[in-house]
Amino acid sequence: RNHLHAAGHICVLKDAFMYESPTEIANLTSTEKFNAALAIHLYKGGRLLQGSRIPFGIIFGGTDVNEDIKCEEKHRVMGAVLREARFAVAFTVKMKELAAAEWPDARKKIYVQTQGIKTTPSETFDWYRFLQNADIPTDTGSLHMFLLICGLRRVKDPLYLVDAFSDWHRKDPSVHLGIIGPAVDPLFTSEVKEKVKRTPGVHLLQEIPQDDLHAAMKKCFAVVNSSISEGMSAAILEAMDLDIPVLARNIPGNAAIIKHKETGLLFSDPQEFVVLSKSLMNDPIMEREIVTRAKDYVKKHHSWESERKAYQNLVLRL
């Protein structure tokens, strides 16, 4: 939205979950006199723009091309949406290829644009209070804080590492895992709360503004991603930008931005996560090398300025 505002467009953000049908969006666009639309997620956002009176573009979310594609009805809807869209944006070449294999006629309108990253850590963030609020010991000399940042929904699989991490915490009380993010799925969120209550060393943390989150990330030992499926994780890229090592589940979306033992660490099961975490804790030289290379990678491939130019140009196609 910032990119489009900067180019002089008036841009209104709406949550797709608030709308049931394309008719509601059609009423909204005519009432508010919108000239164009940009939907995030080919199914969740895109389906609401079917038969739209205004031109629109699509940004793939990740779960649309990785998961929703397996459902026949969603596949049909997504194909129809893509036919109508003026353009679509994929975060990776692999994501573009997956979509183009399903809908070959759309290949020419799919552009690859990685996510641009800009981190803004707050200067006034109180790390000690943050730890106190989470009942985490504030003796930060020995603390190794791992932070899992995700919306609480099944595809993000925040409970994947919980048992293995808790076992490790019993042997080494200095390690703590914090899970932080919005309660996207209320039913699943209560499952996570229940599980975490019974799991020493694992904490469900209060959501905080992005500037504070960036400041908290800087204080952590590592940032963790345990998703089943991922488009391109902004949290991983932000951690890289903030000089924090990343441990991520070895899935295509994560492997597209992390080279194992070069710009981060990829694990295939909870036990391997613990082994890799210990090796990172015991090898400060490896940690420093990973962090340096990761920062260089983000600077080179995830420039916020390039992303801004790309979206400003794409919107002119609408």
Side-chain angles (χ1 to χ4, degrees):
R1 179 162 57 160
N2 288 341
H3 297 332
L4 303 183
H5 277 297
H9 304 292
I10 295 165
C11 188
V12 178
L13 204 55
K14 294 285 184 185
D15 184 346
F17 288 110
M18 288 165 59
Y19 299 92
E20 292 287 318
S21 69
T23 315
E24 287 177 65
I25 293 294
N27 293 341
L28 175 76
T29 54
S30 58
T31 314
E32 302 276 343
K33 299 196 167 38
F34 290 134
N35 305 109
L38 188 56
I40 298 172
H41 201 285
L42 185 54
Y43 182 73
K44 286 178 194 148
R47 70 188 174 87
L48 297 168
L49 291 171
Q50 269 190 290
S52 179
R53 298 170 197 163
I54 55 172
F56 66 87
I58 293 288
I59 301 169
F60 295 144
T63 49
D64 41 12
V65 179
N66 292 328
E67 302 296 322
D68 292 341
I69 219 162
K70 299 166 191 169
C71 164
E72 202 176 313
E73 172 58 13
K74 288 181 179 177
H75 187 289
R76 186 191 63 71
V77 170
M78 292 193 292
V81 171
L82 207 44
R83 273 194 297 280
E84 288 182 47
R86 294 275 176 100
F87 64 81
V89 178
F91 294 143
T92 62
V93 172
K94 186 159 188 177
M95 206 187 283
K96 172 179 175 163
E97 290 308 321
L98 278 172
E102 296 296 324
W103 302 289
D105 294 348
R107 177 182 285 276
K108 283 197 176 75
K109 64 166 82 166
I110 303 173
Y111 298 83
V112 176
Q113 174 56 49
T114 57
Q115 281 197 75
I117 289 301
K118 190 183 197 181
T119 53
T120 52
S122 157
E123 297 288 321
T124 55
F125 175 68
D126 189 335
W127 175 238
Y128 290 96
R129 180 172 291 174
F130 178 73
L131 294 176
Q132 273 177 330
N133 290 344
D135 288 330
I136 296 167
T138 49
D139 169 18
T140 54
S142 63
L143 176 69
H144 290 94
M145 183 73 186
F146 291 75
L147 198 60
L148 173 56
I149 302 160
C150 68
L152 299 179
R153 53 195 177 110
R154 287 187 196 282
V155 75
K156 297 294 181 182
D157 209 2
L159 296 176
Y160 182 62
L161 299 169
V162 161
D163 288 329
F165 198 98
S166 194
D167 289 343
W168 180 26
H169 170 80
R170 284 187 189 97
K171 296 175 191 121
D172 178 358
S174 81
V175 298
H176 288 261
L177 174 65
I179 301 169
I180 191 166
V184 181
D185 173 342
L187 194 67
F188 181 60
T189 300
S190 55
E191 246 179 74
V192 174
K193 280 181 181 162
E194 280 309 305
K195 176 73 176 172
V196 167
K197 261 187 221 162
R198 304 190 304 272
T199 320
V202 181
H203 314 264
L204 189 58
L205 308 173
Q206 206 61 48
E207 238 194 305
I208 52 176
Q210 191 172 37
D211 295 4
D212 286 345
L213 182 60
H214 288 164
M217 286 161 83
K218 282 188 76 154
K219 294 282 190 184
C220 287
F221 175 71
V223 164
V224 180
N225 177 294
S226 60
S227 298
I228 293 165
S229 169
E230 196 69 74
M232 180 172 284
S233 164
I236 287 179
L237 296 170
E238 286 165 356
M240 288 175 160
D241 192 52
L242 291 164
D243 298 315
I244 303 304
V246 175
L247 291 128
R249 194 166 175 172
N250 194 355
I251 53 169
N254 290 343
I257 52 177
I258 291 175
K259 273 205 172 118
H260 184 54
K261 291 192 174 172
E262 279 190 37
T263 53
L265 296 169
L266 295 167
F267 59 86
S268 300
D269 57 52
Q271 289 67 38
E272 190 182 11
F273 165 80
V274 174
V275 169
L276 290 170
S277 298
K278 286 177 179 173
S279 72
L280 196 62
M281 282 163 62
N282 295 327
D283 191 345
I285 292 168
M286 174 175 83
E287 183 197 351
R288 205 159 44 245
E289 286 173 351
I290 283 176
V291 160
T292 306
R293 282 192 292 258
K295 175 97 169 186
D296 290 345
Y297 164 79
V298 168
K299 266 197 189 134
K300 193 171 170 188
H301 298 284
H302 296 275
S303 150
W304 192 76
E305 287 78 14
S306 322
E307 183 189 55
R308 169 162 284 202
K309 275 193 203 117
Y311 281 104
Q312 287 176 348
N313 289 333
L314 281 170
V315 162
L316 299 178
R317 295 172 177 270
L318 300 176

